[in-house]
């Protein structure tokens, strides 16, 4: 009798993991298949399309993980009810709160792994290319501007990527150089302009004088205070920064006068992901409460639960938008939705008589 609670705890943890794994496998498989079919025509080969689809799937995991946690909890609870194992668990002396704790514990562990293991790995494999998908664009182009003592340098490019050395290579680029009194001096056009720690450079570039006379240049270079890291810090979207680097990244943005609210929302979202999964698991347990076994209305409760999850996602997005825009503190904007769900579902569970 002393070991019965531990045995039941492990049993419930396995049941929850099996339900969550099944849901993740189905949802992940559907997303992976759709992404693979979409990327295959433009990829160099099938292997490249598979790798791209895998990377995108890793990026999508934190988005559908809360919903998968809810569905996995509901599925595990349904299987326990259908097989009458929930009756045995109740007969062993476990209250609804005690039988829920293994689900919540595993959900929290999954959230910690997703935050501190999956997120850094995803950023490491997807952050090698700074393409237009990840760099914020203005008028469908990348714009850089630097003002110095001698004048102003402005760069426009269609897209950017990082090479093996960490340099940024801008494709289909045009650079404008103005004097300190804002008079046009030179226009540089090149298929590729490379940004290193030493400045901008290009090969086989075309230079245009103020009179519009072109001149071919085998090599062109301009010293600059802009570096690849400063460009990425300015333009990288929050999801392209690892959770381990986000605090330093945010401090650097604040020092340079940039608005870090979107990155703060991303940081708190990742840190509170375990709490979000716990709240979704609690919601799944609340929806699975029933006194019936054979006539368990799984389909109805599942459908209502899915609608509730979409409503919750809408609420989270609204709170996130308020946090990004400054309408709410970023900490409160991320913390409020899972706490509301957690307390509401917990109150329902402890007040429901399942015996």
């Amino acid at each position: 009798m002393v070991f019965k609670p531990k045995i039941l705890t492990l049993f419930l943890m396995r049941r929850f993991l099996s339900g969550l794994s099944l849901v993740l496998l189905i949802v992940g498989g559907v997303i992976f298949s759709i992404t693979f079919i979409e990327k295959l025509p433009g990829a160099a080969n099938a292997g490249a399309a598979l790798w791209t689809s895998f990377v995108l799937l890793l990026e999508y995991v934190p988005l559908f993980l809360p919903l998968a946690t809810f569905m996995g909890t509901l599925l595990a609870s349904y299987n326990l009810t259908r097989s009458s194992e929930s009756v045995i668990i109740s007969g062993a002396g476990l209250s609804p709160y005690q039988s829920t704790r293994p689900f919540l514990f595993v959900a929290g562990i999954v959230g910690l792994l997703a935050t501190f293991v999956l997120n850094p790995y995803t950023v490491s494999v997807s952050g090698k290319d700074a393409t237009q998908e990840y760099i914020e664009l203005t008028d469908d182009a990348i714009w850089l501007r630097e003002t110095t003592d001698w004048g102003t340098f402005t760069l426009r490019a269609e897209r950017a990527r990082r090479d093996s050395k960490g340099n940024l290579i801008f494709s289909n680029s045009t650079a404008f150089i103005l004097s300190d009194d804002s008079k046009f001096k030179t226009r540089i056009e090149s298929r590729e302009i490379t940004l290193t720690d030493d400045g901008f450079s290009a090969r086989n570039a075309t230079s245009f004088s103020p009179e519009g006379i072109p001149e071919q240049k085998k090599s062109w270079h301009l010293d600059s205070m802009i570096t690849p890291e400063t460009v990425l810090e300015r333009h990288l979207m929050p999801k392209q920064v690892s959770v381990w680097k986000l605090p330093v990244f945010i401090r650097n943005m604040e020092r340079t006068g940039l608005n870090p609210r979107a990155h703060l929302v991303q940081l708190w979202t990742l840190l509170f992901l375990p709490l979000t999964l716990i709240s979704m698991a609690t919601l799944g347990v609340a929806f699975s409460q029933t006194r019936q076994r054979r006539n368990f209305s799984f389909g109805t409760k599942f459908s209502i639960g899915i609608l509730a999850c979409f409503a919750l996602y809408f609420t989270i997005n609204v709170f996130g938008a308020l946090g990004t825009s400054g309408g709410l503190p970023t900490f409160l904007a991320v913390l409020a939705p899972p706490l509301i769900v957690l307390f509401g579902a917990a109150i329902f569970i402890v007040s429901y008589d399942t015996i």
Side-chain angles (χ1 to χ4, degrees), residues 25-287:
L25 183 62
I26 294 175
V27 177
V30 171
I31 294 177
F32 181 83
S33 301
I34 295 175
T35 307
F36 176 72
I37 294 174
E38 179 184 357
K39 298 296 181 182
L40 186 59
N45 49 58
L50 286 172
W51 175 251
T52 303
S53 303
F54 172 72
V55 173
L56 291 177
L57 176 62
L58 293 180
E59 295 181 358
Y60 294 146
V61 166
L63 299 178
F64 66 79
L65 190 56
L67 178 61
T69 301
F70 168 79
M71 296 169 63
T73 304
L74 197 62
L75 181 61
S77 300
Y78 167 68
N79 290 331
L80 290 174
T81 302
R82 187 184 62 175
S83 61
S84 299
E85 291 169 327
S86 58
V87 178
I88 299 175
I89 294 172
S90 301
L94 267 68
S95 65
Y97 169 72
Q98 291 174 323
S99 60
T100 301
R101 283 188 297 182
F103 289 7
L104 306 186
F105 177 78
V106 176
I109 294 299
V110 172
L112 290 174
L113 293 175
T115 297
F116 297 106
V117 178
L118 180 62
N119 173 260
Y121 175 74
T122 303
V123 172
S124 67
V125 299
S126 65
K128 295 180 180 179
D129 292 333
T131 63
Q132 59 181 4
E133 185 177 355
Y134 302 125
I135 291 184
E136 298 173 354
L137 303 180
T138 303
D139 297 331
D140 295 326
I142 302 169
W143 288 88
L144 297 179
R145 180 183 175 88
E146 181 183 20
T147 301
T148 62
D149 296 336
W150 51 260
T152 303
F153 171 79
T154 304
L155 174 70
R156 182 190 184 278
E158 293 184 1
R159 61 184 61 87
R161 70 178 191 276
R162 298 189 77 180
D163 60 14
S164 59
K165 298 180 180 180
N167 302 322
L168 276 178
I169 301 177
F170 298 94
S171 302
N172 299 329
S173 306
T174 302
F176 302 92
I177 301 177
L178 307 180
S179 62
D180 54 357
D181 55 355
S182 300
K183 292 183 178 180
F184 175 76
K185 293 177 61 177
T186 308
R187 183 175 89 247
I188 303 295
E189 293 184 357
S190 178
R191 293 185 59 183
E192 290 185 347
I193 292 181
T194 303
L195 174 61
T196 65
D197 293 336
D198 298 328
F200 294 91
S201 61
R203 294 182 178 179
N204 299 322
T206 303
S207 174
F208 293 87
S209 65
E211 292 77 20
I213 301 175
E215 179 184 356
Q216 293 297 125
K217 292 182 175 292
K218 292 184 178 181
S219 63
W220 170 82
H221 178 80
L222 178 70
D223 294 332
S224 174
M225 297 296 294
I226 300 176
T227 65
E229 293 301 323
T230 57
V231 172
L232 294 178
E233 287 184 4
R234 174 61 182 89
H235 292 280
L236 269 184
M237 298 174 65
K239 67 178 182 179
Q240 289 304 113
V241 185
S242 169
V243 65
W244 299 107
K245 297 181 180 180
L246 266 173
V248 177
F249 195 94
I250 292 171
R251 286 196 295 269
N252 292 337
M253 292 183 67
E254 291 174 341
R255 280 198 292 265
T256 56
L258 301 176
N259 184 4
R261 284 189 170 273
H263 295 77
L264 281 170
V265 170
Q266 174 71 1
L267 176 62
W268 293 124
T269 300
L270 291 173
L271 293 180
F272 287 129
L273 182 59
L275 178 63
T276 302
L277 298 190
I278 290 175
S279 66
M280 297 304 292
T282 308
L283 183 66
V285 173
F287 269 92

Side-chain angles (χ1 to χ4, degrees), residues 86-87 89-96 289-291 352-355:
S86 58
V87 178
I89 294 172
S90 301
L94 267 68
S95 65
Q289 298 297 294
T290 181
R291 297 183 179 88
Y352 193 94
D353 183 13
T354 58
I355 301 178

